[in-house]
Amino acid sequence: MRIKKVEIFTGTIHYAEPFKISLGTSDKSDEVIVKLHGEDGLFGIGEASPTLRITGETQESVLGVADPLSSKIVGSDTDNLNLILDKIHNSFVGNTSAKAAFDIALYDIVSKENGKQLYKYLGGYRDKILTDVTIGIMGTKEAVEKAETLIRKGVKRIKIKVGIDILDDLKRVEAIRSVVGDRADLFIDANQAWKPKEAVSNINKFEVYGIDLVEQPVTAHDVKGLAFVRKNSPIPIMADESVHSPEDAIRIVEEQAADMVNIKLMKAGGISGAIRIAAISEAAGIGNMVGCMMEGAVGIGAGIHFALATKNVKFTDLDSDVDMKNTLTANKILPFRDGFRQATEKPGIGLEDVDRKEVKLVKTFTKVVERKSF
Ligand code: MN
């Protein structure tokens, strides 16, 4: 099937409440949606959720590279999916959220072309997967109320953001553990906040609260520091910001720096990069979690399908769409029940379409058909 047209939309997602982590606070995210049009009315949608602090991207930078990426796709034949993906991923360095939007849109349209839900097109492994829900940095009382609400909703795994004030963090984690008891597994994410020795000292203080994982305790580039923490930590360590690409995953393996790797489609440039990171992790005996930035329904949907299809993904952190005021798509979000994520019965990612009331069309690319004159 030929890709006939690419449309680029912008839209803003507003959160139900501000989200605070050690790197800062946000209450909205400015997204870019890519819509590919094939033949027979088929279309595929992808989402970029750019974050300046993680991938160095903004909505503007994604729009800036939409032209060269679209030119690689318009007129191409989806029978050669891997060739199109290769052109996208090797067209220039970085810009992984932008590439992810095109990569996801391609997987959406190709799985629809094959009449399959995306996770089954990817080979399928399971029909539902556990997700945690994240509690940002907030007052202890608020955090406890939030934890109680999550337990009532059937959530079985809670991720707690830490890293601004250790005494405050310990108080909040203790209070959350005492209210959830053994009804949920808990883990913490410091988002690069600590120095290696400080991290070991802090992690030891959290051990008593039954924390089963510590995410990204030290700064992203300090892989040797991460390895030092892992060697001296009583709790398993997960790399997040330290791993964007398959090459980063190899470095983690070489340095024995983590017990788990958090794969995010926005860091990996989409599903094709995620598949490679999972393969490297699995071969090294390292488990994966699939996480997210602040994507709406499309980006999270793609993450859910990738997780459903991938054996090495142990659980997910795919929750950003659940508590948003809008998600840029007509049929809101994929199912979230009793702490598990699932696909719908529809082919592709399984979402209807972009919501034209929430997004604005900013660019259209079509192939110029050259006509022969006789
Ligand atoms: Mn993280």
Side-chain angles (χ1 to χ4, degrees), residues 208-222:
V208 65
Y209 306 121
I211 300 302
D212 65 12
L213 202 54
V214 178
E215 192 174 331
Q216 197 66 44
V218 301
T219 194
H221 62 81
D222 190 8

Side-chain angles (χ1 to χ4, degrees), residues 97-111:
S97 308
K99 290 171 181 172
F102 285 82
D103 177 295
I104 291 166
L106 274 165
Y107 274 102
D108 186 34
I109 198 168
V110 172
S111 49

Side-chain angles (χ1 to χ4, degrees), residues 23-86:
L23 296 167
T25 306
S26 50
D27 59 5
K28 66 178 178 72
S29 45
D30 296 320
E31 312 285 285
V32 176
I33 298 280
V34 171
K35 184 171 177 182
L36 308 179
H37 295 264
E39 289 152 341
D40 304 327
L42 278 185
F43 67 87
I45 42 179
E47 178 177 3
S49 187
T51 44
L52 202 46
R53 283 185 303 249
I54 309 294
T55 69
E57 295 172 275
T58 62
Q59 190 183 51
E60 290 71 27
S61 78
V62 174
L63 292 178
V65 296
D67 296 52
L69 292 175
S70 297
S71 72
K72 301 277 194 276
I73 289 193
V74 174
S76 63
D77 184 347
T78 54
D79 280 350
N80 301 321
L81 173 64
N82 288 335
L83 175 66
I84 313 173
L85 289 168
D86 187 56

Side-chain angles (χ1 to χ4, degrees), residues 17-18 20 135-150 172 175-176 179:
E17 54 191 49
K20 185 176 179 185
I135 297 183
I137 295 176
M138 58 180 74
T140 299
K141 189 167 167 282
E142 273 178 281
V144 164
E145 282 167 14
K146 173 132 192 185
E148 282 173 330
T149 307
L150 295 178
R172 191 168 61 261
I176 292 171
V179 71

Side-chain angles (χ1 to χ4, degrees), residues 197-209:
K197 282 182 185 165
E198 179 190 17
V200 172
S201 153
N202 287 347
I203 291 168
N204 273 287
K205 294 174 187 151
F206 283 104
E207 198 191 359
V208 65
Y209 306 121

Side-chain angles (χ1 to χ4, degrees), residues 294-309:
M294 294 307 266
E295 295 98 310
V298 182
I300 293 293
I304 292 169
H305 281 273
F306 167 68
L308 291 175

